[in-house]
Amino acid sequence: MTTTLHRTAPRDLAAELPARLSLTPKTTLAGQLDGAWWPYSRDLEAELPPLAAALEEPWGRVTHVTVNPTRWPAVPHTVALDGRILHVGWFTEQHPDKLILLSYTVGRWDLLVIPPETEPAAATRLMAAAAIPGSVLTAGVLMANEAAIGRGLRDAQRQEAGWESEGGAFMSPLGNPMDRSTLPLPGNGWR
């Protein structure tokens, strides 16, 4: 028996779901980043309209966006937004995990771009770190730190699994595994 699963196209998914954003609170502390954005796909044409719409109330009308093309398979020159045009540019000098948003009237904002395939726990850590007011951590530093944290977590899980597979359990003198409830009580009665 064959089962066919119909996946939602990235363009449809981005249009249906709200932009995943974490923005720094308004403060006088200027940092390297103004927050983080976690897109659902690498399709800029589908992802930018919900992002611009979500930012319009807190920041104003976004008119231009710049990206590094390393992380995006296609970089359109313009993206249509509710009767207007959003101009998209690219610069290889810009960090690949950073998005710059520009407005004629309000200014510039820099967002960390969290790769769409990032695990939710890692994305949560990155979104929180990028939204700290006055932080001196750049997009590159945050991504490198998260990679190190991910490696550390994977190593710890691998060590724990190895310990348990190598007999890392409490054993009775008869060779039977014991859990905490079967351990003898110490002299004071506490477990």
Side-chain angles (χ1 to χ4, degrees), residues 115-154:
E117 61 276 0
T118 303
E119 293 293 325
T124 301
R125 287 189 296 270
L126 286 165
M127 290 181 94
I132 296 172
S135 175
V136 297
L137 301 178
T138 64
V141 170
L142 287 174
M143 295 304 285
N145 288 350
E146 184 54 44
I149 290 169
R151 279 191 304 275
L153 290 173
R154 285 188 300 277

Side-chain angles (χ1 to χ4, degrees), residues 71-163:
R71 302 279 196 262
W72 305 99
V75 179
H77 294 289
T78 59
V79 173
L81 297 176
D82 295 328
R84 64 184 181 93
I85 299 294
L86 177 65
H87 299 274
V88 183
W90 58 268
F91 297 98
T92 56
E93 296 83 17
Q94 183 174 319
H95 192 278
D97 295 311
K98 186 164 105 176
L99 178 86
I100 298 174
L101 302 147
L102 302 167
S103 169
Y104 287 127
T105 57
V106 183
R108 169 186 166 158
W109 307 280
D110 294 15
L111 295 180
L112 170 70
V113 178
I114 300 168
E117 61 276 0
T118 303
E119 293 293 325
T124 301
R125 287 189 296 270
L126 286 165
M127 290 181 94
I132 296 172
S135 175
V136 297
L137 301 178
T138 64
V141 170
L142 287 174
M143 295 304 285
N145 288 350
E146 184 54 44
I149 290 169
R151 279 191 304 275
L153 290 173
R154 285 188 300 277
D155 289 348
Q157 290 169 344
R158 193 171 32 254
Q159 288 173 351
E160 184 177 332
W163 183 78

Side-chain angles (χ1 to χ4, degrees), residues 25-107:
K26 290 187 179 191
T27 179
T28 57
L29 297 172
Q32 289 290 319
L33 296 168
D34 298 298
W37 173 48
W38 185 20
Y40 296 96
S41 72
R42 293 195 183 273
D43 182 352
L44 271 177
E45 199 165 355
E47 295 289 345
L48 287 176
L51 174 64
L55 292 174
E56 196 153 329
E57 184 180 327
W59 284 355
R61 180 181 271 192
V62 176
T63 57
H64 290 79
V65 175
T66 65
V67 298
N68 181 316
T70 305
R71 302 279 196 262
W72 305 99
V75 179
H77 294 289
T78 59
V79 173
L81 297 176
D82 295 328
R84 64 184 181 93
I85 299 294
L86 177 65
H87 299 274
V88 183
W90 58 268
F91 297 98
T92 56
E93 296 83 17
Q94 183 174 319
H95 192 278
D97 295 311
K98 186 164 105 176
L99 178 86
I100 298 174
L101 302 147
L102 302 167
S103 169
Y104 287 127
T105 57
V106 183

Side-chain angles (χ1 to χ4, degrees), residues 8-29:
T8 303
R11 201 166 298 248
D12 296 337
L13 184 63
E16 293 173 13
L17 299 172
R20 298 182 288 190
L21 281 170
S22 174
L23 304 175
T24 56
K26 290 187 179 191
T27 179
T28 57
L29 297 172

